Amino acid sequence: MKTIGLIGGMSWESTVTYYQIINETVKKELGGLHSSRCILYSVDFDEIEKCQSCGDWDKSGDILGQAARSLEKAGADFIVICTNTMHKVAPRIQSYISIPLLHIADVTTECLKDRGIKTVALLGTRYTMEQDFYKERLVQSGLQVLIPEEPQREMINRVIFDELCLGTISPESRAGFLAIIRGLGQKGAEGVILGCTEIGLLIRQEDTDIPLFDTTVIHARKAAMASISGHVTE
């Protein structure tokens, strides 16, 4: 079994979900008392968020790159960044290490294609929804990507940072997210990417008829399976 290097803490609430799903998957696949071989480097999210807010992506990339290097030195065989937004600096992080980085957008794309999805809506932080670092990987794979209107993007971003990252689950926010999802479905979305690792704390598949693709679940399961198989695709 390969050792997974987890860069977490962005936020720690969703990092808990990563650890749980990875270990549940390993136990299901291998049985008995098996659990995951993994190493966690949990960063201070306040430091990362301040870099995001002021647009200092290079600094945040260096912080996470140094975390990845520490994980490699500690024995990790590949890296998993436990957040969507910070994949913006995935190339910079990769430059710090010689081991593979399992990209969240790539494993999500693979899942979408397996389900025959061609048009997908993307929810996430404003960085993920508005910038190209994430959407472009989806588009290059042949997917059509829809994003909410600007006021809706602002609401989603606010809920992520002011509520979900602080562990607050609001019924009003859930209703707002579901209304946005319904609207995107009416515009042709065949599925919705929960492109922030906290959104799955708020929205569940049973809340809507539109297929949801929770990137936290997809990424964590793929990491576990890569650990078991020993094969990691960058």
Side-chain angles (χ1 to χ4, degrees):
M1 189 189 305
K2 296 291 186 181
T3 300
I4 308 168
L6 300 167
I7 304 179
M10 301 169 286
S11 66
W12 68 260
E13 284 87 356
S14 60
T15 303
V16 171
T17 306
Y18 266 89
Y19 185 75
Q20 180 178 0
I21 292 173
I22 288 170
N23 279 286
E24 287 175 346
T25 303
V26 170
K27 181 178 179 180
K28 179 182 177 182
E29 293 296 320
L30 300 182
L33 297 177
H34 283 288
S35 57
S36 171
R37 287 181 180 167
C38 62
I39 308 166
L40 171 63
Y41 190 117
S42 189
V43 301
D44 179 2
F45 189 30
D46 182 75
E47 184 178 18
I48 300 298
E49 193 281 327
K50 285 176 179 173
C51 291
Q52 293 176 346
S53 297
C54 70
D56 195 348
W57 294 99
D58 286 348
K59 180 179 178 181
S60 64
D62 290 336
I63 293 169
L64 299 186
Q66 290 163 9
R69 180 181 290 166
S70 294
L71 289 167
E72 181 176 16
K73 289 180 178 178
D77 294 301
F78 65 99
I79 297 297
V80 171
I81 310 169
C82 302
T83 170
N84 284 269
T85 299
M86 295 314 298
H87 279 75
K88 177 179 173 68
V89 294
R92 196 173 187 93
I93 296 170
Q94 183 68 73
S95 72
Y96 275 81
I97 54 177
S98 60
I99 56 177
L101 188 156
L102 188 66
H103 200 291
I104 197 168
D106 294 344
V107 298
T108 300
T109 296
E110 183 181 330
C111 187
L112 289 163
K113 289 193 166 185
D114 287 345
R115 290 281 295 276
I117 301 293
K118 295 181 180 178
T119 301
V120 67
L122 174 63
L123 307 184
T125 65
R126 61 187 176 91
Y127 311 108
T128 300
M129 291 185 288
E130 296 173 1
Q131 299 181 17
D132 289 336
F133 70 93
Y134 199 100
K135 289 186 296 183
E136 192 60 30
R137 292 183 89 102
L138 302 173
V139 170
Q140 287 179 355
S141 72
L143 294 167
Q144 181 178 353
V145 182
L146 306 179
I147 62 171
E149 299 295 329
E150 197 281 329
Q152 297 173 326
R153 297 198 300 270
E154 178 59 32
M155 187 275 279
I156 291 169
N157 192 75
R158 177 187 58 77
V159 169
I160 289 170
F161 283 100
D162 294 349
E163 297 179 17
L164 299 180
C165 286
L166 299 176
T168 300
I169 306 299
S170 163
E172 292 77 15
S173 295
R174 178 180 292 111
F177 270 60
L178 291 173
I180 292 170
I181 288 172
R182 284 194 297 273
L184 291 165
Q186 292 168 0
K187 291 181 179 180
E190 301 166 316
V192 177
I193 297 173
L194 305 185
C196 170
T197 50
E198 280 77 33
I199 298 178
L201 302 173
L202 180 69
I203 301 295
R204 305 286 183 178
Q205 185 60 73
E206 54 263 31
D207 296 324
T208 178
D209 293 331
I210 299 175
L212 301 180
F213 295 85
D214 187 336
T215 53
T216 302
V217 176
I218 295 168
H219 202 201
R221 286 178 178 167
K222 186 67 175 181
M225 295 305 294
S227 173
I228 292 168
S229 70
H231 179 68
V232 184
T233 302
E234 294 185 55

